[in-house]
């Protein structure tokens, strides 16, 4: 079958491929610890599940407005504005997961001849979607020695007259790095000076271990040029429900809503009712989940730093550790393959997140402390086996 040329430009997320490989290995009787997939191991809070069930029973089984249900858009605007912004509910578009915000916004804004800057290592779909749009994807290296925060001077050097869009992600996948207020301020200054749109992926905003989350959209001149991407997948352990949203300049809303109409029509109606309960109901389970992640973070980072030839900076947010394994002598991919095939731990090579991920592994610590301890023992055995 002849495929359209654009399909050659579409990338993927290795996490799903590694999951399939790990499951195949498990099917042969091998015990595998899963540290590859980026989702909370907790269940969705019971009040949210109940709201979803009630909605289905209560007839929320029909199409709804393309940009989302009005009361959910109200609640989202109110929630996000705690980050210092002043979005109105009509600037909210509710989507099936956070990913479609990337897809729709990049399709709506980018075209051939444009350049878009994205973090490397970073969430792989950024580059994939920029490539798909026809624009040129320009990687912005995130370096360990800089706490995996972007270097503002390096960013300034990458901006050209063709640069149209910048993607920032804080707290970040895969590094757990968090941008400081001063970084955001400098990014905002550059964006205004060079007339850039910023896609600010804040999906891990609530999974932060120190201080308060700041949005780049809250800085002067930024709300009118920023799209905030956020959602329910991580904060409320709702990955499988598919519920996310974008907050964007008013002039963009109609276009993104049109892309919704042309693709999925709307986000599932009952799922949106559950989302309303998640945002407006009790938040104690979110707090308990973050505290559990905090304990696991210490366990994993201390454990990794005790392994010869491995070092790990402490992640400040999200639920990933990004250890440096370059001194083991293996490439990221070779190490990840060996760790899975011979030691039964599924992790991702840093290069799954871009070329600058070489020398690193991504471990998701959304797993039990017991499993994490066993995984660390196996990782140490893997390193020792290399002599
Ligand atoms: N942004 C980042 C940085 C992520 O890590 C993920 C999921 O892994 C997403 C967006 C997408 O989230 P969703 O599952 O809501 O589409």
């Amino acid at each position: 079958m002849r495929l359209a040329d654009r399909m050659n430009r579409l990338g993927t997320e290795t996490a799903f491929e590694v999951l399939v490989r790990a499951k195949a290995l498990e099917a042969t009787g091998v015990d595998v610890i899963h540290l590859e997939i980026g989702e909370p191991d907790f269940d969705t809070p019971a009040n949210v599940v109940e709201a979803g069930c009630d909605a289905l029973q209560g007839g929320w089984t029909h199409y709804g407005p393309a940009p989302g249900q009005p009361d959910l858009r109200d609640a989202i605007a109110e929630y996000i504005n705690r980050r210092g912004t002043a979005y109105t509910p009509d600037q909210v578009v509710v989507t099936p997961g956070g990913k479609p915000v990337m897809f729709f916004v990049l399709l709506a804004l980018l075209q051939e001849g444009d350049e878009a800057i994205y973090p490397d290592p970073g969430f792989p779909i950024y580059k994939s979607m920029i490539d798909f749009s026809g624009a040129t994807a320009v990687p912005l290296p995130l370096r360990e020695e800089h706490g995996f925060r972007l270097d503002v001077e390096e960013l300034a050097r990458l901006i050209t007259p063709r640069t149209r869009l910048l993607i920032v992600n804080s707290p970040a996948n895969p590094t757990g790095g968090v941008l400081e207020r001063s970084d955001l301020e400098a990014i905002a200054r550059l964006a205004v000076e060079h007339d850039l749109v910023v896609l600010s992926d804040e999906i891990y905003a609530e999974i932060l271990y120190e201080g308060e989350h700041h949005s780049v959209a809250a800085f002067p001149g930024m709300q009118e040029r920023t799209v905030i991407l956020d959602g329910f997948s991580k904060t409320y352990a709702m990955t499988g429900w598919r519920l996310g949203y974008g907050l964007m300049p008013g002039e963009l809303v109609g276009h993104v809503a049109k892309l919704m109409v042309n693709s999925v029509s709307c986000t599932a109606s009952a799922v949106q009712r559950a989302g309303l309960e998640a945002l407006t109901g009790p938040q104690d389970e979110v707090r308990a989940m973050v505290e559990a992640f905090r304990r696991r973070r210490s366990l994993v980072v201390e454990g990794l730093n005790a392994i010869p030839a491995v070092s790990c900076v402490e992640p400040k947010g999200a639920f990933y550790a990004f250890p440096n394994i370059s001194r083991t002598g293996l490439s990221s991919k070779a190490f990840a393959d060996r760790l899975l095939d011979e030691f039964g731990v599924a992790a991702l090579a840093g290069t799954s997140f871009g070329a600058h991920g070489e020398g690193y592994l991504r471990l998701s610590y959304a797993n039990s402390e017991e499993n994490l301890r066993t995984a660390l023992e196996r990782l140490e055995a893997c390193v020792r086996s290399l002599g």
Side-chain angles (χ1 to χ4, degrees):
M1 190 185 297
R2 197 217 69 178
L3 291 179
D5 290 345
R6 75 175 77 85
M7 290 309 291
N8 295 325
R9 303 200 300 266
L10 205 53
T12 189
E13 233 188 298
T14 328
F16 292 102
E17 287 168 17
V18 175
L19 179 67
V20 169
R21 262 189 62 211
K23 292 270 181 209
L25 204 61
E26 265 173 335
T28 67
V30 177
D31 173 49
V32 176
I33 298 178
H34 292 275
L35 305 184
E36 74 277 44
I37 205 88
E39 67 172 347
D41 53 322
F42 296 93
D43 290 331
T44 305
N47 60 312
V48 177
V49 174
E50 203 178 312
C53 293
D54 286 352
L56 284 171
Q57 303 278 9
W60 289 91
T61 52
H62 300 273
Y63 289 130
Q69 293 164 358
D71 50 0
L72 179 59
R73 294 170 84 196
D74 284 347
I76 290 169
E78 193 183 320
Y79 162 72
I80 288 290
N81 286 338
R82 293 185 213 148
R83 299 177 192 174
T85 52
Y87 287 101
T88 53
D90 59 3
Q91 291 179 286
V92 178
V93 179
V94 180
T95 47
K99 262 183 188 167
V101 176
M102 275 167 226
F103 199 173
F104 295 155
V105 168
L106 299 192
L107 277 188
L109 293 179
L110 295 179
Q111 61 192 12
E112 239 166 82
D114 292 335
E115 292 174 6
I117 300 176
Y118 69 98
D120 177 352
F123 189 52
I125 302 304
Y126 302 147
K127 178 179 174 348
S128 171
M129 283 311 310
I130 297 168
D131 289 343
F132 195 65
S133 76
T136 302
V138 179
L140 172 60
L142 303 185
R143 302 181 199 282
E144 181 179 354
E145 56 272 25
H146 204 64
F148 292 116
R149 289 156 40 225
L150 64 82
D151 178 338
V152 178
E153 285 174 19
E154 200 163 6
L155 167 62
R157 287 196 294 274
L158 292 177
I159 298 173
T160 75
R162 289 176 178 271
T163 311
R164 173 106 179 86
L165 184 129
L166 165 69
I167 300 179
V168 292
N169 172 217
S170 177
N173 177 8
T175 63
V178 170
L179 292 172
E180 292 178 0
R181 222 190 129 77
S182 57
D183 300 325
L184 294 168
E185 205 170 357
I187 293 166
R189 234 180 293 120
L190 284 172
V192 171
E193 185 186 336
H194 296 279
D195 193 22
L196 309 181
V197 175
V198 175
L199 174 62
S200 180
D201 184 341
E202 303 182 20
I203 202 147
Y204 296 102
E206 298 290 348
I207 306 173
L208 184 66
Y209 304 109
E210 291 156 34
E212 226 180 286
H213 174 73
H214 298 289
S215 174
V216 73
F219 289 84
M222 286 308 289
Q223 194 175 307
E224 56 266 39
R225 61 178 66 251
T226 304
V227 175
I228 292 183
L229 178 163
D230 203 335
F232 296 77
S233 297
K234 318 289 175 176
T235 309
Y236 297 102
M238 291 177 73
T239 49
W241 293 71
R242 309 311 300 137
L243 185 61
Y245 50 85
L247 293 96
M248 60 198 75
E251 60 196 306
L252 196 52
V253 172
H255 300 285
V256 172
K258 214 196 284 180
L259 284 161
M260 283 285 290
V261 172
N262 275 276
S263 52
V264 293
S265 295
C266 64
T267 305
S269 298
V271 168
Q272 293 189 59
R273 303 320 292 162
L276 185 64
E277 171 62 21
L279 269 189
T280 57
Q283 302 295 306
D284 41 325
E285 289 198 42
V286 177
R287 282 189 285 271
M289 185 175 76
V290 174
E291 286 317 304
F293 285 147
R294 185 194 300 278
R295 287 193 297 277
R296 296 168 185 183
R297 175 182 71 143
S298 302
L299 189 159
V300 167
V301 172
E302 281 166 27
L304 287 167
N305 282 318
I307 299 174
V310 174
S311 61
C312 185
V313 298
E314 185 168 67
K316 293 192 160 45
F319 40 74
Y320 308 110
F322 203 61
N324 185 328
I325 49 104
S326 58
R327 282 181 295 132
T328 64
L330 288 190
S331 71
S332 295
K333 174 82 170 66
F335 191 97
D337 285 348
R338 186 178 174 89
L339 187 62
L340 175 58
D341 295 336
E342 296 183 30
F343 296 88
V345 177
L348 298 185
T351 42
S352 300
F353 301 91
H356 288 91
E358 183 53 82
Y360 298 89
L361 279 187
R362 190 194 77 170
L363 310 178
S364 162
Y365 50 83
N367 209 320
S368 69
E369 294 188 20
E370 187 189 347
N371 279 346
L372 291 172
R373 280 198 191 89
T374 309
L376 286 164
E377 285 165 16
R378 293 182 186 181
L379 209 148
E380 175 156 11
C382 180
V383 172
R384 290 194 188 281
S385 74
L386 297 168

